Amino acid sequence: MEPALKRDSTSRTNPVEHWLAGALALACAGYASAQAYPTRPVELVVHTAAGGGGDIFARTVAEIIAKEKLLPQSLVVSNKGGGGGAIAFNYVAGKRGDPYILLAVPSTVLLTAPLRSGLDIGLDKFTPLASLGLDLNAVTVRADAPYATMADFVEAAKREPNTLVIAFGSIGGTAHYLAYQIEKVTGARFRTVSMKGAQAVLSVLGGHVHATTENLSEVMAHVEGKKMRVIGVPSAQRLAAAPLLPTLREQGFDIRSGVRRGFAAPAGIPKEAAAVLEAMLEKAHQSAEWKEYAARNLLENTYLNGAAFARYLAERQPEMAQFMRDAGLAGKP
């Protein structure tokens, strides 16, 4: 009779113990994965060439994040200009689910690019993460112009429709949109002209046009030099950094306009990664460096988290689409 085989306790594992060990391993792996993000540099895409306002904004935030050590990896700025933003937006939209791609978002351009290009780069292609502030335009005239207030300017336009000239830099841009809003809200009719570069501001200084709706930061040096006068800023309230500038709202014109400067990722990124990026951007907004940048560039320093930024973009989408149709720009490349 053969002796009974002796059971080796190391050769078999209790099924319950095996399941618990596997579950623990998976949990630990998931925890490690969540903690590890990001494990490599993150590409930060800008829709313009280096040196523009959007590029300076993106690089400023990237520098703050690096200095404050808000991310364990670097943000590498990548300029993908052209197509009125369509090239950059299409590139990021095509990276669905990839948390290692970020987009510096100028709200107006993001909302109008799909209408201009016809590309499938709508809001559903992106994950809004945060907006750090509102970059404002303003209605600005020459210092010796006979318009002390926005009401003066509107009344003069109503007396002589299509006579007063408003200049701005980019067709379909925020300055153009502000001129459009003024006409829509007041019923006044202006002549509008688009000029390259700083020509809109220079044309006001030279007396060739009556006003410009260009960015506030582009006219402030002339305002401080007593050569130009801001007669209306489309902000919720007066800016702390420029308390003497009147808002359009306080003068009875319910107009809010500007570029929401923020960030988005491709659609479908992991929630854990989105949370890391949102927290990073909120801390950047709280930094002394950001506050100094916002004050220096006369931004309305209002923060929106990812959900609030998404709502803002969705609410603005119909009115921007209407603007593009009214301006005859929808569907143009």
Side-chain angles (χ1 to χ4, degrees):
M1 182 176 180
E2 293 183 0
L5 292 174
K6 189 175 182 179
R7 177 174 294 182
D8 183 357
S9 61
T10 63
S11 65
R12 297 181 62 186
T13 304
N14 184 296
V16 174
E17 292 176 348
H18 181 76
W19 181 86
L20 287 173
L24 181 60
L26 286 172
C28 289
Y31 176 78
S33 176
Q35 292 299 305
Y37 173 82
T39 58
R40 53 187 170 84
V42 177
E43 181 181 7
L44 174 54
V45 178
V46 179
H47 81 290
T48 64
D55 178 69
I56 293 170
F57 160 75
R59 291 178 186 275
T60 297
V61 176
E63 288 169 5
I64 292 171
I65 290 167
K67 181 180 178 182
E68 300 290 326
K69 296 181 172 59
L70 301 180
L71 200 67
Q73 295 287 335
S74 60
L75 285 177
V76 181
V77 178
S78 173
N79 296 90
K80 296 185 182 298
I87 291 175
F89 301 152
N90 193 50
Y91 171 77
V92 175
K95 301 289 185 177
R96 180 178 176 84
D98 185 350
Y100 288 90
I101 302 288
L102 292 184
L103 175 68
V105 174
S107 59
T108 304
V109 184
L110 179 65
L111 293 171
T112 59
L115 299 170
R116 285 176 177 269
S117 66
L119 295 174
D120 185 14
I121 49 176
L123 295 181
D124 62 320
K125 302 298 182 183
F126 303 95
T127 301
L129 296 169
S131 169
L132 277 62
L134 187 68
D135 202 351
L136 296 159
N137 292 70
V139 185
T140 309
V141 299
R142 213 164 81 157
D144 60 359
Y147 321 112
T149 66
M150 190 64 192
D152 294 339
F153 189 57
V154 169
E155 288 169 9
K158 287 184 174 180
R159 285 195 302 269
E160 299 180 80
N162 300 308
T163 299
L164 299 190
V165 182
I166 296 177
F168 45 76
S170 174
I171 293 176
T174 310
H176 185 185
Y177 180 60
L178 177 54
Y180 166 84
Q181 283 183 295
I182 292 168
E183 287 194 327
K184 193 171 181 180
V185 169
T186 67
R189 292 292 175 265
F190 301 89
R191 284 176 54 206
T192 58
V193 294
S194 173
M195 300 178 175
K196 292 184 178 180
Q199 288 301 311
V201 175
L202 294 176
S203 292
V204 174
L205 287 169
H208 307 299
V209 301
H210 298 90
T212 182
T213 47
E214 274 302 301
N215 191 276
L216 187 55
S217 63
E218 295 183 26
V219 300
M220 278 307 293
H222 303 297
V223 172
E224 292 168 352
K226 309 297 183 183
K227 295 180 180 179
M228 298 183 82
R229 180 194 308 130
V230 172
I231 58 174
V233 181
S235 56
Q237 56 191 20
R238 292 197 180 198
L239 297 172
L244 297 181
L245 302 184
T247 69
L248 292 172
R249 181 170 289 184
E250 73 188 55
Q251 298 178 75
F253 303 100
D254 190 16
I255 298 173
R256 291 275 284 120
S257 184
V259 177
R260 271 255 159 225
R261 298 283 183 189
F263 296 89
I269 67 168
K271 291 182 179 180
E272 296 82 5
V276 169
L277 295 169
E278 283 195 46
M280 171 192 76
L281 292 168
E282 184 172 10
K283 289 175 183 176
H285 180 262
Q286 294 168 351
S287 70
E289 291 89 346
W290 169 259
K291 292 173 183 175
E292 192 277 331
Y293 171 86
R296 185 174 69 249
N297 289 277
L298 300 172
L299 269 66
E300 184 181 279
N301 193 22
T302 48
Y303 178 81
L304 300 180
N305 63 19
F309 191 25
R311 286 194 300 271
Y312 173 87
L313 291 168
E315 289 168 0
R316 293 293 307 280
Q317 192 173 37
E319 60 193 71
M320 291 305 299
Q322 186 63 54
F323 159 60
M324 294 291 283
R325 286 193 294 269
D326 290 347
L329 299 172
K332 288 189 176 183

